[in-house]
């Protein structure tokens, strides 16, 4: 009984000495966050491997053949003696005139527009004297103004003649004939250089 009493008293003493502590759940949450942060694997970027530089070009070395002083050379250097006087003229055949290419750009407005020989007044006189009114158009009472478009080349020639706005096939044909028979114009210039320029001329057909 004494042993039993001692065991019971020991159990009672242990029961009184046992203490419990409250654990805050937020601490567990903080610990989980810390553990989660520690588990994040840092992202590393692998450096690009640059290709090795190309090898330098091989050096070209001149081969020198060293000969003795007693060796005779077969090759002889001929030097022509030419006398040049101050009055001597040297001719250079140089073609400085640039050839006109077919794919040269065509301008519509330039610094110096093309000009008919004698100006606009002479152009009107030329058209009035050159136009022959088609008989068929006269009989049918056809009249109107035909706009003819053409290109003045860098040499002043009239090229690429076409009707921009016509009235009647007979009148259009006559207007094209008159423009194609024009003499050379003064070419247009852009920055002091002759260029192709598009030009339009109205030809008025009026019955009297």
């Amino acid at each position: 009984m004494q042993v039993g009493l001692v065991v019971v008293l020991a159990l009672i003493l242990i029961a009184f000495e046992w203490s419990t502590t409250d654990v805050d759940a937020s601490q567990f949450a903080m610990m989980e966050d810390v553990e989660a942060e520690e588990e994040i694997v840092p992202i590393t970027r692998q450096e690009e491997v640059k290709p090795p530089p190309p090898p330098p070009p091989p050096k070209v070395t001149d081969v020198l053949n060293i000969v003795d002083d007693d060796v005779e050379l077969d090759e002889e250097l001929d030097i022509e003696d030419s006398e040049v006087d101050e009055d001597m003229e040297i001719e250079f055949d140089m073609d400085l005139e640039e050839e006109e290419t077919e794919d040269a750009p065509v301008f519509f407005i330039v610094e110096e527009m093309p000009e008919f020989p004698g100006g606009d007044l002479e152009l009107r006189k030329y058209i009035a004297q050159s136009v022959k009114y088609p008989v068929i158009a006269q009989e049918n009472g056809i009249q109107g103004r035909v706009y003819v478009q053409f290109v003045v080349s860098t040499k002043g020639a009239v090229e690429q003649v076409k009707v921009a706005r016509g009235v009647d096939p007979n009148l259009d044909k006559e207007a094209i004939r008159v423009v194609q028979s024009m003499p050379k114009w003064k070419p247009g210039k852009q920055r002091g250089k002759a260029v192709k320029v598009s030009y339009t001329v109205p030809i008025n057909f009026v019955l009297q």
Side-chain angles (χ1 to χ4, degrees):
M1 290 183 64
Q2 291 179 355
V3 173
L5 182 62
V6 171
V7 172
V8 172
L9 291 174
L11 291 176
I12 294 172
L13 181 62
I14 293 171
F16 279 108
E17 293 295 332
W18 185 270
S19 61
T20 59
T21 57
D22 297 333
V23 180
D24 191 358
S26 61
Q27 294 180 358
F28 288 102
M30 292 175 62
M31 292 176 64
E32 291 178 359
D33 294 339
V34 173
E35 291 179 358
E37 291 179 358
E38 292 178 353
E39 291 178 358
I40 296 175
V41 179
I43 300 173
T44 58
R45 184 176 181 180
Q46 188 176 3
E47 296 182 356
E48 297 180 358
V49 180
K50 296 183 179 180
K59 295 182 179 180
V60 179
T61 57
D62 296 332
V63 179
L64 300 178
N65 295 326
I66 301 174
V67 298
D68 297 333
D69 295 338
D70 299 336
V71 177
E72 295 182 358
L73 299 177
D74 296 336
E75 298 180 358
E76 293 183 359
L77 180 61
D78 296 334
I79 301 176
E80 296 182 359
D81 187 9
S82 60
E83 296 181 358
V84 180
D85 299 333
E86 294 181 356
D87 299 333
M88 186 175 180
E89 296 181 357
I90 301 174
E91 296 181 357
F92 294 95
D93 187 9
M94 298 178 64
D95 189 7
L96 299 178
E97 184 178 358
E98 297 181 357
E99 296 182 358
E100 182 178 352
T101 57
E102 295 181 358
D103 56 350
V106 178
F107 294 83
F108 291 89
I109 299 176
V110 291
E111 296 174 354
E112 297 182 20
M113 293 296 291
E115 184 179 355
F116 186 83
D120 292 340
L121 183 60
E122 292 296 327
L123 175 61
R124 294 172 188 171
K125 289 182 180 179
Y126 175 83
I127 293 175
Q129 294 173 0
S130 302
V131 169
K132 296 179 181 180
Y133 214 111
V135 179
I136 298 177
Q138 291 181 9
E139 293 176 353
N140 295 327
I142 301 173
Q143 59 182 358
R145 180 172 296 178
V146 180
Y147 291 87
V148 181
Q149 186 178 8
F150 56 94
V151 174
V152 180
S153 67
T154 56
K155 297 180 181 179
V158 177
E159 302 174 346
Q160 303 179 23
V161 182
K162 63 181 180 180
V163 176
R165 189 171 67 184
V167 177
D168 180 78
N170 296 315
L171 299 182
D172 298 346
K173 185 177 179 181
E174 177 62 17
I176 291 176
R177 184 194 68 80
V178 172
V179 172
Q180 289 179 342
S181 62
M182 286 183 179
K184 287 189 175 182
W185 287 47
K186 179 182 177 182
K189 292 184 178 181
Q190 181 71 12
R191 297 180 180 177
K193 182 181 177 182
V195 293
K196 291 183 176 182
V197 182
S198 178
Y199 204 90
T200 303
V201 171
I203 300 178
N204 197 17
F205 291 89
V206 179
L207 292 173
Q208 296 180 355

